């Protein structure tokens, strides 16, 4: 008897369907295991969650849901998701979550060959132990440290942190970017903070309390850190919605110590430290067990997040911070050249928001020929700065007002930086244009001033 192609196809689909049903059935958590998971989860929360009244709500919610059959006939993934949902309905804690993770479950319940988890070590290495880059801007004496984390507690992670802090140790301004740092070990924040205090001036950093208040822990900055400290640096921490847990603790503590300016958006609000606990059937739970708060208070950032000192919302916190630093340089730096360079950069940043002016009408007195083959001419859209070298094409650059009597020569010396050359109008007592001075911001932040004033020929 021959089987048609159509019948063969139907058989194949039936087999696929049967296999799929068998796979689903194989993943479904049986009644005994399900009850053990729910009971272990409820008991663990009652044992360690720092707020007894909340842990009681969790336990009651889980047992009621089990009795109502909410956890029947679910796969491991479905059960993890539903348990997490029910816990969040009882009380929202962004740390507390149940998940299915076969690899982590095995690492917690089975002996590891060689005494260690090499996959975890590889993941730390690929993340460069939580530190991405360090950039030094000598012109403004600013160090930018990008630390997307997470904050690891390994020897290599602290070595990387020490290397970053030592690269920044001679900078007047230090920016640490933790906008995308989900957390990790709280020891790393304490370690970084310690570089901003002299030895012997250790600070009460954060306080952690447990359900059993006899176990409360005071966290202080460290008496020793490798390399050079920088107690006089002005510190800026960049935060955002992606800043969580231990990285929030770093920002919170530095803010409460008045040791850093926090810039960005409100953080995640995960203020209860926790650890992973293996349940059963490849399910694990991240269980909060220690509430972290400021010194001398029961208030932390749980549920509220760290509120920035300078709230930029969705705007770029790094750009906002660089502007804050430039403004501070203009206000406080003793070196006039450094102050002028900082004001130059601020002016460039404000150009886009300046009210448009009629350059041709406002600065028509500039039109004419000047020494060194320079001329200023009228053009359709304003004024152009022209430079003529015998045997070469004439170079033309449009003029744009930066602020009254200061014009950028767009494109001149663009190899140094955009908007790097300016024309400063010099007027007599009657307000009539007499000449102009040309200045160029060099790559190292110094300002070159042309040796002669440009007067009309």
């Amino acid at each position: 008897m021959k089987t048609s192609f159509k019948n063969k196809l139907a058989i194949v689909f039936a087999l696929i369907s049967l296999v799929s049903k068998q796979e689903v059935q194989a993943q479904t958590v049986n009644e005994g295991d399900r009850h053990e998971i729910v009971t272990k989860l409820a008991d663990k929360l009652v044992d360690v969650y720092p707020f007894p009244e909340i842990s009681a709500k969790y336990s009651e919610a889980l047992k009621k849901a089990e009795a109502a059959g909410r956890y029947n006939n679910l796969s491991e993934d479905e059960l993890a998701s539903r348990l997490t949902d029910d816990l969040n309905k009882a009380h929202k804690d962004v740390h507390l979550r149940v998940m299915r993770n076969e690899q982590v479950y095995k690492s917690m319940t089975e002996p590891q060959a060689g005494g260690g988890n090499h996959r975890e070590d590889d993941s730390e290495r690929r993340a460069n132990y939580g530190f991405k880059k360090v950039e030094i801007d000598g012109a403004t004496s600013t160090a930018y440290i990008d630390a997307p984390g997470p904050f690891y507690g390994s020897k290599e992670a602290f070595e990387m942190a020490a290397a970053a802090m030592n690269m920044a140790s001679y900078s007047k301004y230090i920016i640490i970017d933790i906008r995308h740092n989900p957390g990790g070990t709280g020891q790393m924040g304490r370690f970084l903070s310690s570089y901003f205090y002299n030895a012997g001036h250790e600070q009460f950093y954060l306080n952690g309390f447990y359900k059993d208040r006899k176990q409360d822990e005071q966290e202080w900055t460290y008496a020793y850190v490798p390399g050079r400290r920088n107690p006089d640096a002005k510190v800026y921490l960049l935060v955002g919605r992606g800043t969580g847990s231990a990285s929030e603790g770093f920002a919170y503590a530095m803010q409460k110590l008045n040791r850093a300016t926090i810039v960005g958006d409100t953080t995640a609000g995960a203020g209860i430290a926790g650890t992973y606990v293996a349940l059963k059937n490849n399910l694990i739970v991240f269980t909060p067990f220690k509430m972290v708060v400021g010194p001398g208070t029961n208030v932390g950032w749980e549920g509220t997040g760290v509120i920035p000192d300078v709230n930029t919302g969705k705007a770029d916190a790094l750009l906002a911070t660089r502007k804050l630093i430039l403004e501070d340089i203009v206000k406080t730096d003793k070196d006039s050249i450094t102050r002028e360079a900082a004001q130059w950069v601020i002016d460039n940043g404000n150009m886009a928001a300046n009210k448009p002016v009629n350059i041709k009408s406002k600065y028509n007195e500039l039109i004419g020929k000047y020494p060194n083959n320079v001329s200023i001419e009228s053009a359709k859209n304003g004024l152009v700065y022209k430079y003529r070298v015998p045997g070469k094409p004439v170079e033309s650059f449009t003029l744009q007002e930066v602020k009254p009597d200061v014009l950028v020569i767009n494109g001149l010396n663009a190899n140094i930086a955009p908007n790097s050359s300016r024309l400063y109008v010099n007027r007599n007592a009657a307000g009539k244009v007499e000449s102009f001075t040309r200045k160029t911001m060099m790559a190292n932040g110094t300002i070159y001033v042309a040796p002669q004033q440009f007067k009309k020929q």
Side-chain angles (χ1 to χ4, degrees):
M1 179 179 178
K2 293 184 178 181
T3 305
S4 68
F5 176 77
K6 185 176 180 180
N7 289 337
K8 288 181 180 178
L9 197 60
I11 292 170
V12 170
F13 279 121
L15 289 172
I16 292 173
S17 177
L18 179 61
V19 170
S20 299
K21 287 179 181 178
Q22 288 174 340
E23 287 177 350
V24 170
Q25 290 170 355
Q27 292 179 357
T28 299
V29 181
N30 65 47
E31 182 180 353
D33 289 345
R34 182 187 70 234
H35 179 69
E36 186 176 339
I37 289 168
V38 173
T39 301
K40 186 173 182 180
L41 176 58
D43 291 347
K44 189 67 180 179
L45 290 170
V46 169
D47 287 343
V48 303
Y49 199 82
F51 302 103
E53 67 280 6
I54 296 176
S55 61
K57 288 182 181 179
Y58 285 144
S59 178
E60 182 182 1
L62 291 172
K63 290 175 180 178
K64 278 186 177 181
E66 183 185 22
R70 272 183 58 77
Y71 306 137
N72 295 348
N73 303 315
L74 298 179
S75 69
E76 294 170 357
D77 284 315
E78 291 168 339
L79 178 58
S81 178
R82 188 159 295 183
L83 288 167
T84 301
D85 288 344
D86 287 347
L87 290 169
N88 279 327
K89 288 175 184 176
H91 175 80
K92 188 170 180 60
D93 182 327
V94 296
H95 266 134
L96 179 57
R97 62 195 184 278
V98 181
M99 65 206 83
R100 181 188 184 279
N101 190 313
E102 185 175 354
Q103 179 181 320
V104 174
Y105 182 84
K106 285 183 177 179
S107 72
M108 296 176 70
T109 57
E110 298 177 5
Q112 296 295 304
N117 190 335
H118 299 292
R119 282 198 181 103
E120 185 177 341
D121 293 341
D122 286 344
S123 69
E124 288 190 25
R125 177 183 54 77
R126 286 194 297 271
N128 205 40
Y129 303 99
F131 292 82
K132 188 175 182 180
K133 63 183 176 182
V134 179
E135 295 175 346
I136 306 297
D137 179 5
T140 58
S141 190
T142 299
Y144 169 72
I145 301 172
D146 190 4
F151 281 158
Y152 295 106
S154 63
K155 176 177 75 72
E156 294 84 356
F158 286 105
E159 288 173 347
M160 190 64 70
M165 295 305 293
N166 276 278
M167 281 193 69
S169 63
Y170 290 94
S171 295
K172 293 180 181 178
Y173 301 92
I174 297 180
I175 304 169
I176 303 179
D177 192 342
I178 51 174
R179 285 176 290 179
H180 307 290
N181 190 319
T185 176
Q187 295 175 8
M188 183 58 76
R190 292 165 61 193
F191 183 76
L192 296 173
S193 298
S194 303
Y195 279 92
F196 301 118
Y197 294 96
N198 282 317
H201 291 80
E202 289 71 50
Q203 302 293 309
F204 189 1
Y205 178 79
L206 289 173
N207 189 52
F209 66 80
Y210 297 80
K211 182 178 181 181
D212 179 2
R213 296 302 300 266
K214 294 178 182 178
Q215 299 181 36
D216 285 11
E217 295 176 339
Q218 289 188 356
E219 299 179 6
W220 290 70
T221 56
Y222 295 110
Y224 168 78
V225 286
R228 186 178 187 274
R229 296 171 183 258
N230 196 346
D232 298 321
K234 293 186 178 181
V235 185
Y236 298 82
L237 301 184
L238 310 188
V239 301
R241 300 292 178 180
T243 308
S245 193
S247 62
E248 288 182 278
F250 176 37
Y252 185 83
M254 291 288 279
Q255 184 182 56
K256 295 305 178 185
L257 289 167
N258 295 314
R259 193 59 193 86
T261 300
I262 312 301
V263 184
D265 200 0
T266 303
T267 63
I272 307 181
T275 189
Y276 286 109
V277 174
L279 296 171
K280 199 169 186 180
N281 290 64
N282 298 312
L283 297 193
I284 58 175
V285 57
F286 190 85
T287 310
F289 63 82
K290 180 176 70 171
M291 178 68 179
V292 187
V293 299
T297 177
N298 286 333
V299 178
W301 63 95
E302 170 64 21
T304 62
V306 179
I307 311 301
D309 300 305
V310 180
N311 197 322
T312 63
K314 294 182 179 180
D316 191 337
L318 179 56
L319 289 178
T321 302
R322 293 197 187 282
K323 186 174 181 181
L324 290 173
I325 290 172
L326 291 168
E327 289 171 348
D328 188 72
I329 291 171
V330 171
K331 183 179 179 181
T332 65
D333 203 286
K334 296 179 180 179
D335 182 59
S336 61
I337 295 175
T338 303
R339 292 199 306 270
E340 185 180 4
Q343 187 62 57
W344 182 298
V345 179
I346 291 173
D347 293 341
N348 277 349
N350 291 336
M351 278 176 60
N354 288 348
K355 186 178 179 180
V357 299
N358 189 324
I359 295 288
K360 191 185 298 187
S361 173
K362 188 173 181 179
Y363 297 101
N364 67 319
E365 290 181 80
L366 287 171
I367 296 172
K369 292 184 178 180
Y370 295 85
N372 299 327
N373 303 309
V374 170
S375 66
I376 295 178
E377 300 177 11
S378 174
K380 182 178 179 181
N381 296 319
L383 298 178
V384 293
Y385 179 102
K386 290 194 174 184
Y387 179 58
R388 293 173 173 82
V389 176
K392 292 185 178 181
V394 177
E395 295 183 87
S396 296
F397 309 95
T398 60
L399 295 177
Q400 180 183 355
E401 187 179 69
V402 179
K403 56 187 178 181
D405 285 349
V406 179
L407 308 177
V408 64
I409 311 171
N410 283 302
L412 181 62
N413 295 312
N415 59 310
I416 297 175
N419 303 332
S420 61
S421 289
R422 289 180 178 180
L423 178 159
Y424 287 74
V425 178
N426 303 311
R427 298 178 183 269
N428 61 22
K432 185 176 177 59
V433 174
E434 288 188 330
S435 63
F436 70 82
T437 301
R438 194 179 69 201
K439 298 183 181 182
T440 301
M441 170 80 84
M442 308 305 290
N444 64 359
T446 60
I447 296 176
Y448 168 78
V449 183
Q452 80 289 333
Q453 291 185 351
F454 287 76
K455 295 184 178 181
K456 287 185 186 179
Q457 293 180 328

